[in-house]
């Protein structure tokens, strides 16, 4: 199929903006799937948080179908690597490894499509746009929600989720050279009239159990120093396991709200990102806004990938006519 974006003798450049949204960001896969099958290929991609993951995978040469299959086959219970919550509950090592596989271990210079990934530099207190170096590391920085993931150290600087400063990097893709900008809006759903609500679902319950087990192990290491005599350590570990055996603790805490802080952080981040994104869409020059309607789906529905992808496809098909007209200007 011929590419449709021309302007006189110069081909119009299409820039695609993929924003934040946790699991809701999986709609990006559906959007890219429709564009791909229609022979409309982005010339530039800018992404934040989950949008950075999807954009990086596509820019690395993965097809949307390939990305969807990998996400579908991901056991989301095994991407968490809990740590003592000093700077975050999750180390992020496991998810970075998953991202590295998804982007085929590429560097930005090796990507098929120019990509920029947005994060926040805590050290310099400014927004950054990664366009060189290790893609997986940059994406890991872009999705590091403060308080949930530990910050990412690159060089002498620490980085966190770009969604706190630019959840929808429209200007970034314009600066890259885009003539036509397509934005995927995975933020406030006007039909719901409110920001997403996090429900206590099976996946969160499983993460809760994993968190308890991991924290008990960390607590055991803290309470029983390694330099103590072996016989003392063995006795104390036996007592610890007898009193605080993980399965017993999980049973004792059944039905107890275990994740108030991460949920609070997520809700605060979602509210802030929604507000920033809304301002971006009001005040930025955007040619096409693709707006899925999430109904009862929210940002923690990681096991409903096929539904998010289908919503993205439906929303993109509704905007194909407008996009083609913009690309023919």
């Amino acid at each position: 199929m011929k590419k449709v974006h021309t302007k006189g003798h110069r081909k119009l450049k299409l820039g695609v903006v993929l924003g934040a949204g946790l699991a809701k960001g999986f709609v990006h896969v559906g959007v890219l799937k429709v564009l791909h099958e229609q022979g409309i290929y982005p010339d530039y991609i800018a992404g934040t948080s989950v949008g950075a993951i999807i954009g990086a995978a596509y820019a690395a040469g993965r097809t949307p179908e390939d990305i969807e299959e990998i996400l579908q086959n991901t056991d989301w219970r095994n991407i968490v690597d809990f740590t003592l919550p000093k700077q975050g509950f999750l180390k992020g090592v496991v998810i970075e490894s998953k991202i590295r596989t998804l982007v085929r271990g590429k560097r930005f210079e090796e990507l098929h499509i120019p990509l920029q990934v947005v994060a926040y530099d805590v050290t310099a207190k400014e927004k950054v746009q990664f366009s060189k170096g290790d893609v997986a590391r940059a994406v890991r920085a872009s999705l590091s929600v403060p308080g949930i993931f530990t910050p990412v150290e690159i060089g002498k600087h620490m980085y966190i989720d770009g969604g706190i400063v630019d959840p929808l990097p429209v200007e970034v893709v314009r600066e890259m050279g885009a003539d036509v900008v397509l934005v995927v809006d995975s933020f406030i759903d006007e039909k719901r009239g409110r920001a997403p609500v996090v429900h206590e679902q099976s996946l969160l319950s499983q993460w809760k159990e994993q968190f308890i087990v991991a924290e008990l192990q960390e607590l055991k290491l803290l309470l029983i120093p390694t330099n103590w005599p072996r016989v003392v350590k063995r006795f104390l570990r036996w007592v610890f396991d007898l009193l605080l055996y993980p399965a017993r603790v999980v049973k004792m805490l059944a039905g107890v709200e275990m994740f108030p802080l991460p949920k609070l952080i997520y809700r605060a981040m979602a509210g802030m990102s929604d507000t920033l994104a809304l301002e971006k869409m009001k005040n930025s020059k955007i040619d096409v806004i693709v707006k899925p309607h999430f109904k009862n789906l929210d940002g923690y529905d990681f096991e409903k990938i096929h539904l998010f992808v289908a919503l993205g496809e439906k929303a993109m098909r509704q905007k194909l006519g407008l996009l083609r007209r913009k690309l023919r200007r």
Side-chain angles (χ1 to χ4, degrees):
M1 184 178 292
K2 293 181 179 179
K3 289 190 178 183
V4 298
H5 31 311
T6 59
K7 183 177 183 179
H9 298 291
R10 185 175 72 85
K11 180 175 77 74
L12 290 180
K13 301 289 187 179
L14 173 63
V16 173
V17 179
L18 305 177
L22 286 180
K24 294 192 302 175
F26 294 148
V27 297
H28 301 326
V29 180
V31 171
L32 291 173
K33 183 186 285 190
V34 173
L35 292 176
H36 196 80
E37 72 182 26
Q38 293 293 318
I40 303 174
Y41 307 110
D43 295 285
Y44 308 103
I45 299 174
T48 299
S49 198
V50 67
I53 299 177
I54 307 303
Y58 188 70
R62 297 275 187 190
T63 65
E65 290 78 11
D66 190 15
I67 298 169
E68 181 180 8
E69 183 179 358
I70 292 171
L71 294 175
Q72 287 275 24
N73 293 330
T74 296
D75 187 345
W76 298 98
R77 295 167 300 180
N78 294 330
I79 66 163
V80 294
D81 46 2
F82 289 107
T83 182
L84 282 177
K86 298 174 183 177
Q87 294 179 302
F89 285 86
L90 304 177
K91 299 174 188 175
V93 175
V94 175
I95 196 168
E96 183 175 332
S97 176
K98 185 73 177 178
I99 294 167
R100 195 170 304 283
T101 299
L102 198 58
V103 302
R104 295 170 166 163
K106 291 184 181 289
R107 297 175 64 82
F108 279 91
E109 297 82 358
E110 300 172 312
L111 297 175
H112 299 275
I113 301 171
L115 168 75
Q116 290 200 13
V117 169
V118 176
Y120 181 71
D121 184 337
V122 178
T123 308
K125 298 181 176 63
E126 63 183 11
K127 183 180 86 171
V128 294
Q129 297 154 213
F130 289 104
S131 59
K132 296 179 182 178
D134 184 7
V135 174
R137 194 70 173 157
V139 172
R140 158 80 171 86
S142 181
L143 61 80
S144 295
V145 179
I148 295 180
F149 284 99
T150 56
V152 174
E153 185 174 1
I154 302 176
K156 295 182 179 179
H157 289 236
M158 303 293 287
Y159 299 89
I160 59 174
D161 196 316
I164 70 170
V165 287
D166 196 355
L168 211 58
V170 177
E171 289 78 11
V172 173
V173 84
R174 283 283 184 199
E175 291 169 1
M176 292 173 74
D179 301 299
V180 177
V181 172
L182 181 149
V183 166
V184 183
D185 174 12
S186 56
F187 298 93
I188 290 177
D189 192 332
E190 293 176 359
K191 287 192 173 182
R192 293 178 71 179
R194 53 186 172 86
V197 175
V198 182
H199 302 292
E200 184 67 29
Q201 300 162 344
S202 59
L203 183 60
L204 286 181
S205 298
Q206 291 163 355
W207 281 352
K208 179 174 71 177
E209 293 183 17
Q210 289 176 255
F211 175 75
I212 292 170
V213 172
E215 293 306 286
L216 286 175
Q217 285 299 114
E218 293 281 359
L219 182 60
K220 185 193 294 186
L221 292 174
L222 284 175
L223 293 178
I224 308 173
T226 56
N227 60 345
W228 283 10
R230 183 181 300 177
V231 65
V232 176
K233 288 189 294 184
R234 289 178 61 183
F235 173 73
L236 291 176
R237 286 170 183 161
W238 176 79
V239 173
F240 185 96
D241 290 338
L242 181 67
L243 297 175
L244 294 173
Y245 185 70
R248 176 179 295 175
V249 176
V250 169
K251 186 175 181 180
M252 288 169 55
L253 294 174
V256 177
E257 183 68 45
M258 285 298 296
F259 277 166
L261 182 57
K263 284 186 178 182
L264 179 62
I265 293 170
Y266 166 66
R267 287 171 177 161
M269 280 286 296
M272 182 169 59
S273 294
D274 287 346
T275 301
L276 288 172
L278 185 60
E279 288 302 311
K280 274 289 186 75
M281 285 184 283
K282 284 181 178 179
N283 300 308
S284 300
K285 185 182 178 183
I286 301 172
D287 298 283
V288 180
I289 297 177
V290 178
K291 176 63 182 174
H293 296 294
F294 296 100
K295 300 179 181 178
N296 295 320
L297 296 173
D298 65 43
Y300 272 101
D301 283 324
F302 290 97
E303 296 173 322
K304 299 178 181 178
I305 293 166
H306 63 291
L307 296 179
F308 287 113
V309 174
L311 288 176
E313 289 184 63
K314 179 180 178 181
M316 185 64 247
R317 291 189 193 284
Q318 293 172 345
K319 296 290 185 174
L320 272 175
L322 174 61
L323 177 60
R324 291 184 185 279
R325 291 194 296 273
K326 294 289 185 179
L327 291 172
R328 290 195 184 101
R329 288 182 306 189

